[in-house]
Amino acid sequence: MMFLKFKDAFILVILTIIAALLWRIDTSMNRFEKKLESAEGTVSFQMYESIEKWSDSFGIPKHIAYNVAYKETKYRGPFDFDYEHRLESSAGAVGPMQIITRWAQQFSRRRISERELKTNVDLNVKISMQMLRKWHNIYNDWTVACGAYNSGQPIRNEYAVYCAGNTDYKNKWVDLK
């Protein structure tokens, strides 16, 4: 008889713990969904979606795609609401992934203006991923491909080593709490 009382109490405790865990999971999901809603429509979220889409499409490892974005324009993830993508380098590279307009033509198979390359995030990221894929197909080495992306030459510079080697790319991301 005593065992049945303990059994009922034990079951009640287990059910209470499960209910508390489910409540916590639901609360966490609601918080995450609110974060996503606040990011939707921002350039930083558009950048995130483009990198996800085009890196998958061209077989670019995520850490390389995000490291290039960080090195080129200091992109720090989907919640980097201060992110500025319309930058131009002293060498004439433009946009979020810093593409030189004359090199973009061969990947787009049409004339692209500097303005379009600077402001069209999706196009800029797509061309960037195509360039990385091209360099990797030639050298079969991600470090050399990143060096070529950065300099036009198949080299292993600091940029290349960072982009290919830093697998903890999210450590630089803005965390929306």
Side-chain angles (χ1 to χ4, degrees), residues 14-27:
I14 294 298
L15 289 174
T16 303
I17 291 171
I18 290 171
L21 288 173
L22 288 173
W23 178 80
R24 187 175 180 126
I25 289 170
D26 186 55
T27 302

Side-chain angles (χ1 to χ4, degrees), residues 84-149:
E84 176 54 58
H85 67 290
R86 296 169 295 201
L87 302 177
E88 183 172 344
S89 75
S90 58
V94 297
M97 305 293 277
Q98 292 292 282
I99 307 294
I100 294 176
T101 308
R102 73 175 178 266
W103 301 122
Q105 311 297 337
Q106 64 183 300
F107 295 98
S108 66
R109 301 179 195 261
R110 67 177 176 86
R111 175 146 168 54
I112 297 177
S113 71
E114 182 178 300
R115 183 175 189 274
E116 182 181 17
L117 201 55
K118 188 185 281 190
T119 58
N120 186 333
V121 171
D122 196 57
L123 176 64
N124 192 289
V125 172
K126 178 184 179 187
I127 290 171
S128 174
M129 297 302 116
Q130 288 175 301
M131 293 172 116
L132 282 164
R133 171 48 52 204
K134 174 193 151 204
W135 288 119
H136 185 265
N137 287 349
I138 293 170
Y139 300 109
N140 205 27
D141 180 308
W142 283 114
T143 305
V144 175
C146 290
Y149 179 92

Side-chain angles (χ1 to χ4, degrees), residues 9-174:
F10 181 73
I11 290 172
L12 185 60
V13 168
I14 294 298
L15 289 174
T16 303
I17 291 171
I18 290 171
L21 288 173
L22 288 173
W23 178 80
R24 187 175 180 126
I25 289 170
D26 186 55
T27 302
S28 294
M29 288 299 292
N30 286 339
R31 238 182 282 133
F32 180 73
E33 287 171 355
K34 285 180 182 173
K35 287 180 185 180
L36 280 180
E37 285 174 16
S38 67
E40 282 181 14
T42 64
V43 171
S44 59
F45 194 72
Q46 184 182 8
M47 185 75 170
Y48 172 80
E49 288 181 316
S50 292
I51 290 174
E52 288 292 313
K53 175 175 70 174
W54 295 118
S55 64
D56 284 346
S57 180
F58 292 105
I60 310 301
K62 296 287 188 228
H63 73 281
I64 291 174
Y66 284 110
N67 287 334
V68 169
Y70 175 76
K71 283 299 231 177
E72 294 298 342
T73 55
K74 298 297 183 236
Y75 176 70
R76 296 174 41 219
F79 305 121
D80 182 8
F81 299 139
D82 295 327
Y83 176 66
E84 176 54 58
H85 67 290
R86 296 169 295 201
L87 302 177
E88 183 172 344
S89 75
S90 58
V94 297
M97 305 293 277
Q98 292 292 282
I99 307 294
I100 294 176
T101 308
R102 73 175 178 266
W103 301 122
Q105 311 297 337
Q106 64 183 300
F107 295 98
S108 66
R109 301 179 195 261
R110 67 177 176 86
R111 175 146 168 54
I112 297 177
S113 71
E114 182 178 300
R115 183 175 189 274
E116 182 181 17
L117 201 55
K118 188 185 281 190
T119 58
N120 186 333
V121 171
D122 196 57
L123 176 64
N124 192 289
V125 172
K126 178 184 179 187
I127 290 171
S128 174
M129 297 302 116
Q130 288 175 301
M131 293 172 116
L132 282 164
R133 171 48 52 204
K134 174 193 151 204
W135 288 119
H136 185 265
N137 287 349
I138 293 170
Y139 300 109
N140 205 27
D141 180 308
W142 283 114
T143 305
V144 175
C146 290
Y149 179 92
N150 174 243
S151 70
Q153 302 298 317
I155 60 172
R156 292 177 180 271
N157 58 7
E158 178 276 327
Y159 176 103
V161 170
Y162 178 87
C163 289
N166 177 36
T167 56
D168 189 19
Y169 60 93
K170 290 183 179 179
N171 71 341
K172 299 247 192 261
W173 283 18
V174 172

